[in-house]
Amino acid sequence: PQGSEKAKTFVHGFLKRSMPKMKDEAIQDMLSRKAVVLEHYPKKKQKEKRKKTKGFTAKQRRELRLFEIEPEQQRYAIFLPLHELWKQYIRDLCHGLKPDAQPHMIQGKLLKADLHGAIVTVTKSKCPSYVGITGIILQEFKHVFKIITKEDKLKVVPKLNNVFSLELDGFISYIYGSKFLLRASERSAKKFKLKGTIDL
């Protein structure tokens, strides 16, 4: 048919223009032996490497004093609303601290709970000067608690060799600091085992 002749002529002319160095016999041989696949290869775009945002190092944080509380902010009354929020947080976490609640369940929740805002008291210590310190936990680090007392004094109390108690709605829980040497973020994912006796 006339249409097929036009198509044949077009293809022959197209290949001749595309491959001017090839002879007619070579083109004809290529057409008769295999199908010609015309492909377009776009240039690959180089992916821009995303630069990871690096946080501050521990040294930089110390130099910038990011975690230091200014002296004018070291007042017990300022942090009482934080304590009220913490109490509500614990009540929600434990589904209400009811008289019939199981102590082991509450203790397990408190071991993983955020303690910022809790009022704690040092009940036992190998260093007698720490015993009796009571205040709101402002910061928890791996090895220490920073506590603001009612006298508006910021105390840095080590966890090691100290036992802390916290009371909420009549439920008193004890924290053995020597077994609590974790950051708050690490503690939330740790599995604690119940032990019969714990030494300071």
Side-chain angles (χ1 to χ4, degrees):
Q2 191 177 358
S4 63
E5 287 298 323
K6 284 185 177 180
K8 187 177 180 180
T9 307
F10 170 78
V11 171
H12 185 76
F14 174 78
L15 291 173
K16 189 67 178 171
R17 289 195 303 275
S18 301
M19 297 177 285
K21 293 183 179 180
M22 290 186 70
K23 295 181 179 180
D24 291 346
E25 293 81 7
I27 292 173
Q28 188 64 36
D29 182 61
M30 186 174 63
L31 288 174
S32 61
R33 291 176 179 276
K34 60 181 180 179
V36 178
V37 180
L38 303 176
E39 294 182 354
H40 173 64
Y41 294 96
K43 289 183 180 179
K44 290 184 179 180
K45 292 182 180 179
Q46 291 183 348
K47 291 183 179 179
E48 293 181 2
K49 291 183 180 179
R50 291 183 181 179
K51 291 182 180 179
K52 291 184 179 179
T53 54
K54 292 184 179 179
F56 292 116
T57 62
K59 185 180 178 182
Q60 288 173 328
R61 287 196 292 267
R62 285 194 296 271
E63 289 173 351
L64 293 170
R65 302 174 66 186
L66 291 179
F67 296 118
E68 290 191 21
I69 300 168
E70 297 297 329
E72 60 271 15
Q73 299 295 324
Q74 295 177 14
R75 289 191 289 130
Y76 185 83
I78 291 177
F79 299 100
L80 280 173
L82 175 64
H83 175 61
E84 293 300 319
L85 286 172
W86 181 83
K87 288 197 295 185
Q88 189 57 51
Y89 155 67
I90 294 297
R91 289 182 188 124
D92 293 343
L93 185 68
C94 299
H95 309 294
L97 291 169
K98 299 174 183 177
D100 60 344
Q102 295 181 355
H104 290 300
M105 184 272 292
I106 296 173
Q107 186 72 37
K109 298 273 189 184
L110 287 174
L111 283 171
K112 296 187 176 187
D114 190 335
L115 297 177
H116 294 90
I119 293 179
V120 295
T121 302
V122 182
T123 54
K124 291 182 182 180
S125 177
K126 284 191 175 180
C127 181
S129 61
Y130 287 126
V131 177
I133 292 177
T134 302
I136 299 172
I137 294 177
L138 299 187
Q139 292 173 314
E140 179 188 355
F141 298 98
K142 186 173 183 178
H143 298 285
V144 299
F145 286 123
K146 281 192 177 181
I147 297 170
I148 186 77
T149 66
K150 289 182 179 179
E151 294 78 27
D152 296 337
K153 291 183 179 179
L154 187 66
K155 301 280 187 179
V156 180
V157 183
K159 294 178 180 180
L160 189 66
N161 300 328
N162 287 326
V163 178
F164 305 85
S165 67
L166 58 89
E167 186 270 336
L168 181 63
D169 295 344
F171 182 86
I172 299 174
S173 179
Y174 292 94
I175 298 169
Y176 288 81
S178 301
K179 307 297 179 183
F180 224 63
L181 299 177
L182 296 162
R183 295 181 181 87
S185 57
E186 295 171 350
R187 188 160 44 78
S188 63
K190 181 176 172 61
K191 290 184 179 179
F192 290 91
K193 294 180 181 178
L194 295 175
K195 297 183 180 180
T197 56
I198 302 176
D199 296 327
L200 278 177

PDB file of all heavy atoms in Angstrom, residues 94 97-111 171-174 194:
ATOM      1  N   CYS A  94      -0.654   6.880  85.565  1.00  0.00           N
ATOM      2  CA  CYS A  94      -1.029   5.728  86.403  1.00  0.00           C
ATOM      3  C   CYS A  94      -2.543   5.513  86.435  1.00  0.00           C
ATOM      4  O   CYS A  94      -3.044   4.744  87.273  1.00  0.00           O
ATOM      5  CB  CYS A  94      -0.497   5.909  87.816  1.00  0.00           C
ATOM      6  SG  CYS A  94       1.296   6.022  87.905  1.00  0.00           S
ATOM      7  N   LEU A  97      -4.233   7.658  90.906  1.00  0.00           N
ATOM      8  CA  LEU A  97      -3.616   6.941  92.028  1.00  0.00           C
ATOM      9  C   LEU A  97      -4.695   6.590  93.051  1.00  0.00           C
ATOM     10  O   LEU A  97      -4.909   7.287  94.037  1.00  0.00           O
ATOM     11  CB  LEU A  97      -2.512   7.800  92.657  1.00  0.00           C
ATOM     12  CG  LEU A  97      -1.277   8.006  91.775  1.00  0.00           C
ATOM     13  CD1 LEU A  97      -0.373   9.075  92.356  1.00  0.00           C
ATOM     14  CD2 LEU A  97      -0.505   6.718  91.605  1.00  0.00           C
ATOM     15  N   LYS A  98      -5.399   5.497  92.798  1.00  0.00           N
ATOM     16  CA  LYS A  98      -6.492   5.073  93.664  1.00  0.00           C
ATOM     17  C   LYS A  98      -5.959   4.186  94.791  1.00  0.00           C
ATOM     18  O   LYS A  98      -4.903   3.545  94.653  1.00  0.00           O
ATOM     19  CB  LYS A  98      -7.531   4.304  92.838  1.00  0.00           C
ATOM     20  CG  LYS A  98      -8.145   5.156  91.729  1.00  0.00           C
ATOM     21  CD  LYS A  98      -9.059   4.329  90.847  1.00  0.00           C
ATOM     22  CE  LYS A  98      -9.610   5.167  89.700  1.00  0.00           C
ATOM     23  NZ  LYS A  98     -10.438   4.380  88.775  1.00  0.00           N
ATOM     24  N   PRO A  99      -6.688   4.102  95.933  1.00  0.00           N
ATOM     25  CA  PRO A  99      -6.227   3.274  97.057  1.00  0.00           C
ATOM     26  C   PRO A  99      -6.025   1.806  96.701  1.00  0.00           C
ATOM     27  O   PRO A  99      -5.189   1.129  97.288  1.00  0.00           O
ATOM     28  CB  PRO A  99      -7.348   3.432  98.097  1.00  0.00           C
ATOM     29  CG  PRO A  99      -8.007   4.735  97.748  1.00  0.00           C
ATOM     30  CD  PRO A  99      -7.911   4.848  96.256  1.00  0.00           C
ATOM     31  N   ASP A 100      -6.811   1.305  95.728  1.00  0.00           N
ATOM     32  CA  ASP A 100      -6.694  -0.110  95.368  1.00  0.00           C
ATOM     33  C   ASP A 100      -5.667  -0.358  94.251  1.00  0.00           C
ATOM     34  O   ASP A 100      -5.546  -1.477  93.748  1.00  0.00           O
ATOM     35  CB  ASP A 100      -8.060  -0.666  94.933  1.00  0.00           C
ATOM     36  CG  ASP A 100      -8.626   0.085  93.728  1.00  0.00           C
ATOM     37  OD1 ASP A 100      -8.130   1.199  93.439  1.00  0.00           O
ATOM     38  OD2 ASP A 100      -9.571  -0.434  93.095  1.00  0.00           O
ATOM     39  N   ALA A 101      -4.920   0.685  93.866  1.00  0.00           N
ATOM     40  CA  ALA A 101      -3.913   0.526  92.801  1.00  0.00           C
ATOM     41  C   ALA A 101      -2.777  -0.362  93.294  1.00  0.00           C
ATOM     42  O   ALA A 101      -2.391  -0.316  94.464  1.00  0.00           O
ATOM     43  CB  ALA A 101      -3.372   1.885  92.383  1.00  0.00           C
ATOM     44  N   GLN A 102      -2.249  -1.174  92.395  1.00  0.00           N
ATOM     45  CA  GLN A 102      -1.161  -2.075  92.764  1.00  0.00           C
ATOM     46  C   GLN A 102       0.165  -1.308  92.833  1.00  0.00           C
ATOM     47  O   GLN A 102       0.563  -0.658  91.855  1.00  0.00           O
ATOM     48  CB  GLN A 102      -1.044  -3.199  91.735  1.00  0.00           C
ATOM     49  CG  GLN A 102      -2.250  -4.124  91.701  1.00  0.00           C
ATOM     50  CD  GLN A 102      -2.086  -5.237  90.682  1.00  0.00           C
ATOM     51  OE1 GLN A 102      -1.113  -5.273  89.937  1.00  0.00           O
ATOM     52  NE2 GLN A 102      -3.052  -6.142  90.664  1.00  0.00           N
ATOM     53  N   PRO A 103       0.855  -1.394  93.969  1.00  0.00           N
ATOM     54  CA  PRO A 103       2.118  -0.645  94.128  1.00  0.00           C
ATOM     55  C   PRO A 103       3.160  -0.983  93.069  1.00  0.00           C
ATOM     56  O   PRO A 103       3.880  -0.108  92.594  1.00  0.00           O
ATOM     57  CB  PRO A 103       2.594  -1.075  95.528  1.00  0.00           C
ATOM     58  CG  PRO A 103       1.362  -1.515  96.239  1.00  0.00           C
ATOM     59  CD  PRO A 103       0.468  -2.116  95.195  1.00  0.00           C
ATOM     60  N   HIS A 104       3.246  -2.269  92.674  1.00  0.00           N
ATOM     61  CA  HIS A 104       4.252  -2.659  91.677  1.00  0.00           C
ATOM     62  C   HIS A 104       4.000  -1.980  90.334  1.00  0.00           C
ATOM     63  O   HIS A 104       4.934  -1.599  89.630  1.00  0.00           O
ATOM     64  CB  HIS A 104       4.242  -4.178  91.492  1.00  0.00           C
ATOM     65  CG  HIS A 104       4.782  -4.920  92.674  1.00  0.00           C
ATOM     66  ND1 HIS A 104       6.070  -4.743  93.129  1.00  0.00           N
ATOM     67  CD2 HIS A 104       4.209  -5.824  93.508  1.00  0.00           C
ATOM     68  CE1 HIS A 104       6.279  -5.517  94.194  1.00  0.00           C
ATOM     69  NE2 HIS A 104       5.162  -6.178  94.439  1.00  0.00           N
ATOM     70  N   MET A 105       2.714  -1.825  89.997  1.00  0.00           N
ATOM     71  CA  MET A 105       2.366  -1.174  88.736  1.00  0.00           C
ATOM     72  C   MET A 105       2.767   0.301  88.771  1.00  0.00           C
ATOM     73  O   MET A 105       3.364   0.826  87.818  1.00  0.00           O
ATOM     74  CB  MET A 105       0.860  -1.324  88.476  1.00  0.00           C
ATOM     75  CG  MET A 105       0.404  -0.752  87.131  1.00  0.00           C
ATOM     76  SD  MET A 105      -0.026   1.008  87.162  1.00  0.00           S
ATOM     77  CE  MET A 105      -1.517   0.965  88.167  1.00  0.00           C
ATOM     78  N   ILE A 106       2.455   0.961  89.883  1.00  0.00           N
ATOM     79  CA  ILE A 106       2.785   2.380  90.007  1.00  0.00           C
ATOM     80  C   ILE A 106       4.302   2.569  90.034  1.00  0.00           C
ATOM     81  O   ILE A 106       4.841   3.474  89.402  1.00  0.00           O
ATOM     82  CB  ILE A 106       2.134   2.973  91.281  1.00  0.00           C
ATOM     83  CG1 ILE A 106       0.606   2.904  91.163  1.00  0.00           C
ATOM     84  CG2 ILE A 106       2.587   4.422  91.491  1.00  0.00           C
ATOM     85  CD1 ILE A 106      -0.126   3.288  92.413  1.00  0.00           C
ATOM     86  N   GLN A 107       4.989   1.681  90.770  1.00  0.00           N
ATOM     87  CA  GLN A 107       6.445   1.771  90.856  1.00  0.00           C
ATOM     88  C   GLN A 107       7.078   1.609  89.480  1.00  0.00           C
ATOM     89  O   GLN A 107       8.007   2.326  89.110  1.00  0.00           O
ATOM     90  CB  GLN A 107       6.972   0.683  91.807  1.00  0.00           C
ATOM     91  CG  GLN A 107       8.460   0.773  92.084  1.00  0.00           C
ATOM     92  CD  GLN A 107       8.818   1.946  92.975  1.00  0.00           C
ATOM     93  OE1 GLN A 107       8.074   2.271  93.894  1.00  0.00           O
ATOM     94  NE2 GLN A 107       9.930   2.591  92.696  1.00  0.00           N
ATOM     95  N   GLY A 108       6.565   0.657  88.702  1.00  0.00           N
ATOM     96  CA  GLY A 108       7.077   0.438  87.351  1.00  0.00           C
ATOM     97  C   GLY A 108       6.886   1.653  86.456  1.00  0.00           C
ATOM     98  O   GLY A 108       7.749   1.982  85.636  1.00  0.00           O
ATOM     99  N   LYS A 109       5.748   2.333  86.610  1.00  0.00           N
ATOM    100  CA  LYS A 109       5.487   3.544  85.822  1.00  0.00           C
ATOM    101  C   LYS A 109       6.428   4.673  86.231  1.00  0.00           C
ATOM    102  O   LYS A 109       6.962   5.406  85.388  1.00  0.00           O
ATOM    103  CB  LYS A 109       4.039   3.994  86.020  1.00  0.00           C
ATOM    104  CG  LYS A 109       2.991   2.988  85.548  1.00  0.00           C
ATOM    105  CD  LYS A 109       2.671   3.161  84.098  1.00  0.00           C
ATOM    106  CE  LYS A 109       1.481   2.302  83.691  1.00  0.00           C
ATOM    107  NZ  LYS A 109       1.206   2.382  82.259  1.00  0.00           N
ATOM    108  N   LEU A 110       6.642   4.811  87.554  1.00  0.00           N
ATOM    109  CA  LEU A 110       7.484   5.894  88.046  1.00  0.00           C
ATOM    110  C   LEU A 110       8.946   5.708  87.642  1.00  0.00           C
ATOM    111  O   LEU A 110       9.669   6.682  87.447  1.00  0.00           O
ATOM    112  CB  LEU A 110       7.381   5.988  89.574  1.00  0.00           C
ATOM    113  CG  LEU A 110       6.073   6.558  90.118  1.00  0.00           C
ATOM    114  CD1 LEU A 110       6.042   6.452  91.636  1.00  0.00           C
ATOM    115  CD2 LEU A 110       5.886   8.016  89.705  1.00  0.00           C
ATOM    116  N   LEU A 111       9.387   4.453  87.527  1.00  0.00           N
ATOM    117  CA  LEU A 111      10.776   4.194  87.143  1.00  0.00           C
ATOM    118  C   LEU A 111      11.093   4.737  85.754  1.00  0.00           C
ATOM    119  O   LEU A 111      12.223   5.111  85.467  1.00  0.00           O
ATOM    120  CB  LEU A 111      11.051   2.685  87.167  1.00  0.00           C
ATOM    121  CG  LEU A 111      11.257   2.048  88.544  1.00  0.00           C
ATOM    122  CD1 LEU A 111      11.298   0.545  88.427  1.00  0.00           C
ATOM    123  CD2 LEU A 111      12.516   2.569  89.216  1.00  0.00           C
ATOM    124  N   PHE A 171       0.897   8.115  98.157  1.00  0.00           N
ATOM    125  CA  PHE A 171       1.761   7.022  97.700  1.00  0.00           C
ATOM    126  C   PHE A 171       3.205   7.491  97.754  1.00  0.00           C
ATOM    127  O   PHE A 171       3.568   8.488  97.150  1.00  0.00           O
ATOM    128  CB  PHE A 171       1.400   6.604  96.268  1.00  0.00           C
ATOM    129  CG  PHE A 171       2.201   5.452  95.747  1.00  0.00           C
ATOM    130  CD1 PHE A 171       1.809   4.147  95.998  1.00  0.00           C
ATOM    131  CD2 PHE A 171       3.360   5.663  95.015  1.00  0.00           C
ATOM    132  CE1 PHE A 171       2.553   3.072  95.528  1.00  0.00           C
ATOM    133  CE2 PHE A 171       4.105   4.597  94.546  1.00  0.00           C
ATOM    134  CZ  PHE A 171       3.703   3.300  94.808  1.00  0.00           C
ATOM    135  N   ILE A 172       4.030   6.770  98.534  1.00  0.00           N
ATOM    136  CA  ILE A 172       5.443   7.123  98.683  1.00  0.00           C
ATOM    137  C   ILE A 172       6.286   6.117  97.916  1.00  0.00           C
ATOM    138  O   ILE A 172       6.136   4.903  98.084  1.00  0.00           O
ATOM    139  CB  ILE A 172       5.862   7.139 100.167  1.00  0.00           C
ATOM    140  CG1 ILE A 172       5.030   8.182 100.926  1.00  0.00           C
ATOM    141  CG2 ILE A 172       7.348   7.467 100.296  1.00  0.00           C
ATOM    142  CD1 ILE A 172       5.260   8.172 102.426  1.00  0.00           C
ATOM    143  N   SER A 173       7.160   6.616  97.082  1.00  0.00           N
ATOM    144  CA  SER A 173       8.046   5.762  96.300  1.00  0.00           C
ATOM    145  C   SER A 173       9.489   6.151  96.592  1.00  0.00           C
ATOM    146  O   SER A 173       9.790   7.325  96.841  1.00  0.00           O
ATOM    147  CB  SER A 173       7.748   5.932  94.811  1.00  0.00           C
ATOM    148  OG  SER A 173       8.619   5.123  94.042  1.00  0.00           O
ATOM    149  N   TYR A 174      10.360   5.136  96.574  1.00  0.00           N
ATOM    150  CA  TYR A 174      11.774   5.375  96.853  1.00  0.00           C
ATOM    151  C   TYR A 174      12.608   5.133  95.590  1.00  0.00           C
ATOM    152  O   TYR A 174      12.365   4.180  94.857  1.00  0.00           O
ATOM    153  CB  TYR A 174      12.259   4.465  97.985  1.00  0.00           C
ATOM    154  CG  TYR A 174      11.638   4.812  99.319  1.00  0.00           C
ATOM    155  CD1 TYR A 174      10.488   4.161  99.757  1.00  0.00           C
ATOM    156  CD2 TYR A 174      12.178   5.807 100.127  1.00  0.00           C
ATOM    157  CE1 TYR A 174       9.896   4.477 100.966  1.00  0.00           C
ATOM    158  CE2 TYR A 174      11.596   6.141 101.345  1.00  0.00           C
ATOM    159  CZ  TYR A 174      10.454   5.474 101.751  1.00  0.00           C
ATOM    160  OH  TYR A 174       9.866   5.811 102.952  1.00  0.00           O
ATOM    161  N   LEU A 194      12.968  -6.254  89.267  1.00  0.00           N
ATOM    162  CA  LEU A 194      12.714  -6.142  90.686  1.00  0.00           C
ATOM    163  C   LEU A 194      13.744  -6.959  91.454  1.00  0.00           C
ATOM    164  O   LEU A 194      13.976  -8.128  91.150  1.00  0.00           O
ATOM    165  CB  LEU A 194      11.297  -6.624  91.026  1.00  0.00           C
ATOM    166  CG  LEU A 194      10.145  -5.789  90.440  1.00  0.00           C
ATOM    167  CD1 LEU A 194       8.824  -6.447  90.738  1.00  0.00           C
ATOM    168  CD2 LEU A 194      10.166  -4.377  91.015  1.00  0.00           C
TER     169      LEU A 194
END
